[in-house]
Amino acid sequence: MKKTFLLILLSLLLNVNFVNSQWQQTNGLIGGTVLTLLQKGHKILAGTGLKGIYVSTNNGFSWSQTSQNLLNVNCFASNSNYIFCGTNNGVYRSSDEGLSWVRVFSDIILEISASDSNIYAGTSPHGIYVSSNNGNTWTNRVVDLHIYSIAVQGAEAYACGVFINPRKLLYSANNGQTWVERPSFNFLFFSILIKDSTIFAGTAGQGVMLSTDKGFTWQQTALNNKYIYSLNVKDDFIFAGSDKQGIFVSSNNGLSWQQSSMNNKCVNDIIASGNEIFAATSYYGIYKSTDNGYNWLQSSFQSHSISSMSVINNGIFAGSTSGNLGPDSSNGIYYSQNMGTSWNQILPNKNITVLSTHGSDIFAGTLGGAGLYYSSNNGTNWQINNLNLFVVGMDIRDSVIHVGAYNGNGSIQGVFRSTNYGANWNATSLNKVADSFLRKDQLIFASVFGGIYRSTNGGINWGSVLSGPTSYGPLGLCGNNIITSSNNGVFLSSDNGQSWIQTFNQSVSTIIVYQDVIFAGSSNNFFISTNNGYNWFQKNEGLNGVGISSLCIFNGYILAGTIDNSVWKRSLTEIIGIKMISNGTPEIYYLSQNYPNPFNLQTKIKFAI
């Protein structure tokens, strides 16, 4: 009876302690490219480059990715009933403040505007489409133009576009049904703002211009020689977002301008929400101002994809990547000494694919540039290795390094080997790019597209031990079992790769083993196995479908590098509970009175055995 009571008590304690436990996003790693913003009711929506739509319900304090992901969202518009977003894949419409979306038009949409039920879509290169019924049907009103800007006031509308070389400003007085071209026009407008009877235009190289006669003539404001991508107004203040020079503010209708404290960012869009102003930037996420745009603070918009994480001493390294060769100065390596409460960027403007540590040294594989970087002082300084290939996988033991690498055009690819800590490199017999390595005794395993390869002589020669028409990814070792994953699920070998069995039908993107527990992350789930990979179950609480691309264990926590949502963490005890440390039977136990009494979620009980 006493033993039974003690077991029940321990079960109750576990439930009390962990009933609200879940994954939590770490701070820092702020950034990402945001192209457009929209305030709708109590929500702010952010449209990103290739990462879809994020939403904030607490005035920009925190952001979460919506179901509308993996899209390049260029623009927003709204009326009383709907939100519209223009993407490279068409116009999408939402009737529930962005929770769900349906596509109502197919084309590349550069600009969109709404007035009542009239919706204007600027396309590339098919001109202007207009819908008079909230996007149910569309009519092409202007053809053969790349439309960069549209502004609407009542039944009047202005649009600017270009076809090869001629630049055109178009005007409609009848809800976009017919359009006329303004004569003698030779500017390109990226943005148009209508303020009372004055039209302001952000131009390509001429700064901000204005017209007081419905666009027939234009005058230069005091802000000139700038690329102006965005314009907006709040009270008597006009805000102009520029290319790489931040935000300029005018309080006298453009007669004079003052550069704000945000003076070195590319600003794609500006909106006002209540007493605050938000700015969407390239690479650096979202900024917020509470003093009419003169001073700005970076909002906690976190949309980094974390490809790899590693630990040295008391610090965590996180590698960020956009998965392509395009420039993004917010990508690179970040470092945290306080469990992710804050992060510092220590290697900027690099697409990091893999991090690997050896003692106090850290190696970083990248896409583009030199390919492989090396630091011997905790990331303070970095040296370029002489490999000069794009690196996607790495393994280090003593002075021997193996990498999976290729050159830019794919004419050189495979596993390369160095026996002197990266000073010199030689190609091995494996001419496929490996993105994961595993060592087991004297054996080395490598996963590639199409299978798993094994080397029995230190990585010089390789032979196939598992093949299939799919991509094989992460490798892990639990006890005597080798674990790997493909697009078809998780596979296990207990005989050094001679034979394999499938134990799980879910594809996972990263695997890590801690003691006798296997942790695995996928594009929308987190799994664990406590019996060497034979059975799996989910531990997703709080993740809400966030994709996981890398994992590491540090200081009693498991950290997850995610797809587009930076770094998350969770206590290991929340996931694997209390481990058995003895098989003995207690001879005596002492149970204190619970406090407070009766039980609630904060009740504490002291006991001894």
Side-chain angles (χ1 to χ4, degrees):
M1 179 64 182
K2 292 180 179 180
K3 294 180 183 178
T4 302
F5 175 76
L6 183 58
L7 291 175
I8 293 174
L9 174 62
L10 287 173
S11 176
L12 177 60
L13 288 174
L14 290 177
N15 288 333
V16 170
N17 287 338
F18 304 142
V19 67
N20 293 318
S21 63
Q22 62 179 18
W23 288 88
Q24 295 180 338
Q25 192 173 26
T26 68
N27 296 319
L29 277 169
I30 298 173
T33 293
V34 181
L35 301 177
T36 182
L37 294 167
L38 175 74
Q39 185 265 329
K40 183 69 171 176
H42 67 292
K43 294 182 178 180
I44 301 175
L45 283 75
T48 68
L50 298 178
K51 298 178 181 180
I53 297 174
Y54 287 73
V55 64
S56 173
T57 58
N58 51 17
N59 220 29
F61 181 77
S62 61
W63 299 83
S64 59
Q65 193 176 36
T66 70
S67 59
Q68 185 75 314
N69 52 24
L70 301 179
L71 282 177
N72 200 91
V73 180
N74 299 313
C75 46
F76 282 121
S78 69
N79 56 23
S80 58
N81 296 315
Y82 298 100
I83 299 174
F84 301 86
C85 73
T87 75
N88 286 0
N89 198 35
V91 175
Y92 289 79
R93 182 180 68 190
S94 173
S95 60
D96 52 13
E97 294 190 341
L99 292 177
S100 60
W101 299 82
V102 294
R103 189 167 66 171
V104 294
F105 182 59
S106 299
D107 208 329
I108 298 175
I109 309 298
L110 300 182
E111 184 63 292
I112 194 166
S113 190
S115 177
D116 298 325
S117 60
N118 296 306
I119 315 301
Y120 304 77
T123 73
S124 175
H126 301 123
I128 301 173
Y129 282 78
V130 179
S131 171
S132 59
N133 54 12
N134 285 312
N136 291 323
T137 59
W138 297 82
T139 303
N140 191 195
R141 297 298 183 182
V142 177
V143 299
D144 298 334
L145 274 180
H146 301 270
I147 301 297
Y148 287 95
S149 56
I150 299 174
V152 180
Q153 186 180 65
E156 295 182 300
Y158 298 85
C160 184
V162 61
F163 179 70
I164 304 178
N165 187 34
R167 300 170 179 180
K168 297 182 179 182
L169 178 65
L170 305 172
Y171 169 76
S172 174
N174 55 5
N175 294 311
Q177 298 304 301
T178 59
W179 296 79
V180 294
E181 184 179 342
R182 290 296 188 235
S184 304
F185 183 82
N186 191 33
F187 305 103
L188 178 59
F189 293 167
F190 289 130
S191 55
I192 302 174
L193 169 69
I194 304 175
K195 183 178 182 289
D196 301 324
S197 59
T198 303
I199 308 168
F200 294 87
T203 71
Q206 286 83 35
V208 177
M209 306 185 72
L210 66 83
S211 173
T212 57
D213 57 5
K214 295 184 182 292
F216 281 100
T217 60
W218 292 86
Q219 356 176 357
Q220 181 77 58
T221 72
L223 184 60
N224 53 31
N225 299 321
K226 303 284 189 298
Y227 281 76
I228 303 298
Y229 291 150
S230 52
L231 289 168
N232 211 331
V233 61
K234 181 181 180 294
D235 302 327
D236 292 326
F237 295 88
I238 301 173
F239 307 95
S242 69
D243 175 28
K244 298 179 183 178
Q245 297 181 64
I247 291 178
F248 296 84
V249 185
S250 175
S251 59
N252 52 15
N253 273 350
L255 292 177
S256 62
W257 297 83
Q258 180 177 342
Q259 192 172 28
S260 74
S261 66
M262 192 205 302
N263 52 22
N264 59 354
K265 305 290 187 296
C266 177
V267 180
N268 301 309
D269 198 8
I270 303 170
I271 67 165
S273 177
N275 294 321
E276 297 176 311
I277 305 162
F278 294 86
T281 73
S282 294
Y283 313 140
Y284 297 96
I286 297 170
Y287 281 74
K288 180 167 67 173
S289 172
T290 58
D291 61 358
N292 287 320
Y294 290 105
N295 294 288
W296 297 82
L297 293 174
Q298 195 173 21
S299 172
S300 60
F301 185 83
Q302 299 167 285
S303 70
H304 287 273
S305 289
I306 306 300
S307 58
S308 183
M309 291 188 294
S310 196
V311 172
I312 294 180
N313 298 326
N314 295 319
I316 307 166
F317 295 86
S320 170
T321 182
S322 58
N324 56 57
L325 302 183
D328 186 341
S329 56
S330 69
N331 279 327
I333 299 177
Y334 290 80
Y335 180 66
S336 175
Q337 289 183 296
N338 51 19
M339 286 302 301
T341 300
S342 61
W343 297 82
N344 294 316
Q345 191 179 35
I346 57 175
L347 182 63
N349 203 27
K350 300 289 184 293
N351 274 309
I352 306 298
T353 54
V354 60
L355 296 173
S356 190
T357 59
H358 182 257
S360 59
D361 300 338
I362 183 167
F363 288 81
T366 72
L367 295 177
L372 188 61
Y373 291 79
Y374 162 73
S375 173
S376 60
N377 56 4
N378 228 35
T380 302
N381 302 106
W382 293 87
Q383 304 172 34
I384 298 175
N385 188 270
N386 65 359
L387 179 62
N388 292 320
L389 295 173
F390 301 171
V391 177
V392 297
M394 194 180 333
D395 171 73
I396 304 174
R397 176 172 291 185
D398 299 326
S399 61
V400 180
I401 306 175
H402 292 88
V403 297
Y406 63 97
N407 64 355
N409 59 23
S411 60
I412 300 174
Q413 61 178 358
V415 171
F416 297 82
R417 183 173 184 262
S418 172
T419 58
N420 51 12
Y421 217 49
N424 303 102
W425 295 89
N426 295 299
T428 70
S429 69
L430 183 54
N431 59 1
K432 299 177 182 291
V433 181
D435 58 13
S436 181
F437 293 91
L438 172 71
R439 286 181 179 265
K440 183 176 183 289
D441 301 324
Q442 301 303 311
L443 304 175
I444 308 175
F445 296 84
S447 65
V448 303
F449 182 85
I452 305 296
Y453 284 74
R454 182 181 64 188
S455 174
T456 60
N457 60 357
I460 300 173
N461 301 104
W462 299 82
S464 174
V465 293
L466 177 63
S467 61
T470 185
S471 178
Y472 288 85
L475 289 161
L477 181 64
C478 185
N480 194 47
N481 291 339
I482 300 170
I483 310 292
T484 190
S485 170
S486 77
N487 295 337
N488 296 326
V490 175
F491 293 82
L492 180 150
S493 174
S494 58
D495 56 7
N496 292 330
Q498 294 298 117
S499 62
W500 298 81
I501 60 171
Q502 185 174 0
T503 64
F504 195 38
N505 61 3
Q506 299 285 326
S507 174
V508 301
S509 52
T510 181
I511 288 174
I512 190 170
V513 179
Y514 176 72
Q515 296 181 357
D516 57 353
V517 180
I518 307 172
F519 303 93
S522 76
S523 60
N524 57 6
N525 278 301
F526 175 78
F527 304 99
I528 75 169
S529 173
T530 57
N531 61 355
N532 292 329
Y534 289 99
N535 300 103
W536 298 81
F537 57 94
Q538 295 179 0
K539 293 294 288 185
N540 288 334
E541 296 86 351
L543 280 175
N544 299 324
V546 171
I548 297 175
S549 51
S550 56
L551 294 167
C552 78
I553 305 290
F554 180 60
N555 199 25
Y557 281 82
I558 182 166
L559 293 101
T562 69
I563 302 169
D564 301 340
N565 281 274
S566 297
V567 178
W568 293 60
K569 67 180 180 181
R570 189 171 182 183
S571 170
L572 283 170
T573 58
E574 293 180 8
I575 297 177
I576 60 178
I578 296 177
K579 298 178 67 64
M580 181 179 292
I581 59 174
S582 173
N583 292 320
T585 302
E587 294 182 355
I588 190 172
Y589 68 89
Y590 177 77
L591 178 64
S592 299
Q593 176 63 49
N594 61 298
Y595 177 83
N597 189 9
F599 277 101
N600 61 44
L601 293 181
Q602 301 300 319
T603 291
K604 297 181 178 180
I605 301 175
K606 291 184 178 181
F607 69 95
I609 56 175

